[in-house]
Amino acid sequence: MIKETNTATESMSTATESMSNEVKKIVYRDDQLPIMKYRGGTMAVPAVPGAGKTFIICNLVCEIIKDKVHKPGKILIVTFMNSAVNNFKHRISMVLQNKGINTTNDYEVMTIHSLALKILKDRPDVMGVNEEFKILDDVNKSLYLNKCISMWRRKGGEATFKSMISDKSLNKYASKQDKWWNDFFTTVDTIIGELKINDISPEKLKEDIKLLDPNSILVHISEIYDTYSKLLKSEGYIDYNDLLILAYKLLKTDDTVREKLQKKYTFVFEDECQDSNLIQGKILSLISEKSGNLVRVGDVNQ
């Protein structure tokens, strides 16, 4: 099969459906036709909200299944939210039913974190993770991170941090004493997430900040980051960022795990790619590396 690299054109208005002899016939718009011709290679599909991306992905997946291009593997569709997973499953099932195809074994739909969990559970020992590891959800993550920040405050961190902020800056928090603290929590959460995604451990950060000004915010965040990481490890937790990083490292280092997934998923579709991060992109690229079949769909304006 000849591999080809495509870039779909502009927005994808939803195609119309007409009834003829009680069989639905889909009439695709001109900007959708190149997408529906895809049968392999890499393809980027820019799609603004309301452009019908779910419609076109579902129909393309079903056409690939009908033509059996994916055999002997499966098609993997990765999206961002659990609600989107259920929507894709329902829509694909309906399209296949309309085509008279009865199958549930030719495709899988999941979130990136579900995929990462599936990868890590295959060989957690390789990554030095206990098989009984638990995932820290966003609610509990806030509780744990707040606990670590509170510990830092009690050790004089709050006074140190406030001293770095000019009186002029603090004026905007007048009558809202806790407002600056909420902003600080958001800053810490965001920076720790970025550090993890870029594979910067607390230990590496401690080395890197030795050359920084002692009053640099990274110096203080380093202490919180270190406490947070140790707390999660002591209680057997990994957060969502850890999950992605560990899954990526496992795919990168373990040939058996990587090759098994490459053999299983011969086509990879990534929905809402504008919301993906560096590690997510690397995970999907590794899975699709052997087949070369990767479709990324997202809003270029976001």
Side-chain angles (χ1 to χ4, degrees), residues 18-287:
S18 61
M19 297 296 294
S20 177
N21 298 324
E22 299 183 354
V23 177
K24 286 185 178 180
K25 181 181 178 182
I26 301 174
V27 181
Y28 297 105
R29 292 177 60 90
D30 289 343
D31 56 351
Q32 295 174 321
L33 291 174
I35 300 170
M36 293 306 299
K37 292 178 181 178
Y38 169 83
R39 290 299 182 273
T42 58
M43 179 167 71
V45 183
V48 297
K53 67 178 180 61
T54 303
F55 166 84
I56 205 71
I57 293 174
C58 291
N59 278 276
L60 176 55
V61 166
C62 292
E63 283 297 303
I64 291 173
I65 291 173
K66 180 176 71 70
D67 292 346
K68 301 181 179 180
V69 183
H70 61 297
K71 294 293 186 179
K74 292 185 176 186
I75 300 172
L76 172 65
I77 303 105
V78 176
T79 188
F80 199 67
M81 305 288 289
N82 283 318
S83 57
V85 169
N86 294 330
N87 186 32
F88 269 112
K89 287 181 178 178
H90 174 71
R91 297 281 291 272
I92 292 173
S93 176
M94 293 301 295
V95 175
L96 288 173
Q97 183 179 329
N98 289 336
K99 293 179 181 293
I101 301 172
N102 182 20
T103 179
T104 57
N105 296 322
D106 289 280
Y107 66 96
E108 291 183 25
V109 189
M110 62 187 76
T111 65
I112 184 61
H113 292 107
S114 295
L115 173 62
L117 181 59
K118 184 176 184 177
I119 294 169
L120 185 57
K121 280 193 170 183
D122 197 350
R123 289 296 306 275
D125 55 301
V126 175
M127 291 293 101
V129 177
N130 189 297
E131 291 184 0
E132 304 301 320
F133 72 87
K134 299 170 289 185
I135 303 298
L136 190 71
D137 60 31
D138 287 335
V139 173
N140 284 308
K141 176 187 175 183
S142 295
L143 294 175
Y144 274 65
L145 190 53
N146 261 317
K147 181 178 180 179
C148 295
I149 293 175
S150 295
M151 293 169 63
W152 174 78
R153 290 177 74 174
R154 289 195 296 270
K155 292 191 297 183
E158 181 172 351
T160 303
F161 181 73
K162 281 186 173 180
S163 70
M164 294 187 294
I165 304 175
S166 67
D167 291 338
K168 183 178 180 180
S169 296
L170 283 173
N171 284 338
K172 70 176 182 177
Y173 296 109
S175 75
K176 297 181 180 178
Q177 296 179 7
D178 292 332
K179 181 66 168 61
W180 80 273
W181 191 248
N182 291 333
D183 287 353
F184 181 68
F185 172 85
T186 301
T187 300
V188 172
D189 186 22
T190 301
I191 291 178
I192 288 178
E194 287 299 314
L195 288 167
K196 287 191 174 190
I197 289 300
N198 286 281
D199 199 20
I200 300 175
S201 65
E203 294 74 25
K204 186 176 188 305
L205 181 60
K206 284 181 180 179
E207 288 297 317
D208 292 344
I209 62 175
K210 285 181 178 179
L211 300 177
L212 295 179
D213 186 314
N215 289 325
S216 168
I217 190 172
L218 274 178
V219 173
H220 303 287
I221 288 178
S222 175
E223 294 180 31
I224 300 169
Y225 183 21
D226 185 52
T227 304
Y228 175 70
S229 297
K230 288 177 179 176
L231 180 60
L232 262 58
K233 187 173 182 179
S234 69
E235 298 197 16
Y237 278 112
I238 61 173
D239 64 20
Y240 286 130
N241 286 323
D242 294 324
L243 182 59
L244 292 179
I245 293 164
L246 290 168
Y248 167 67
K249 287 184 175 180
L250 180 58
L251 279 178
K252 188 74 175 176
T253 59
D254 193 297
D255 294 344
T256 302
V257 173
R258 183 177 65 255
E259 290 169 5
K260 182 168 69 174
L261 285 169
Q262 289 175 342
K263 183 178 180 180
K264 182 175 183 179
Y265 300 120
T266 49
F267 279 80
V268 177
F269 283 73
E270 180 185 12
D271 181 40
E272 304 288 6
C273 67
Q274 78 278 353
D275 293 323
S276 68
N277 55 45
L278 179 65
I279 298 297
Q280 175 174 333
K282 287 182 176 181
I283 289 172
L284 299 182
S285 292
L286 280 174
I287 294 174

